[in-house]
Amino acid sequence: MSNTSRIETRELADADLDSVAGGLSVGGSVEGLTATFAPGPNGVPVLTGGSVKSLSLTVSDIPLGPITG
């Protein structure tokens, strides 16, 4: 049995985003981040792998209206 929370997604119209006063509020945290890089073209590092132990992301100030099932 998985302890993964359900994630709900919704499509937002451009007009809904235009009416958001002050823009969006986005916050979050990452715990246990590891990343592996390799030399890429022109010496630019390229991400080749990684992992995250815990990730939290919150987006608010979006008027979604009623939720219908």
Side-chain angles (χ1 to χ4, degrees):
M1 184 85 169
S2 173
N3 65 354
T4 303
S5 299
R6 180 173 173 256
I7 297 174
E8 181 177 330
T9 60
R10 296 185 66 185
E11 187 172 326
L12 301 174
D14 287 342
D16 291 337
L17 293 177
D18 290 343
S19 68
V20 176
L24 302 175
S25 296
V26 179
S29 64
V30 177
E31 181 182 339
L33 174 65
T34 61
T36 306
F37 295 89
N42 299 321
V44 176
V46 176
L47 180 65
T48 59
S51 66
V52 173
K53 180 179 178 184
S54 173
L55 172 67
S56 170
L57 178 66
T58 303
V59 179
S60 57
D61 295 337
I62 302 175
L64 296 177
I67 298 175
T68 58

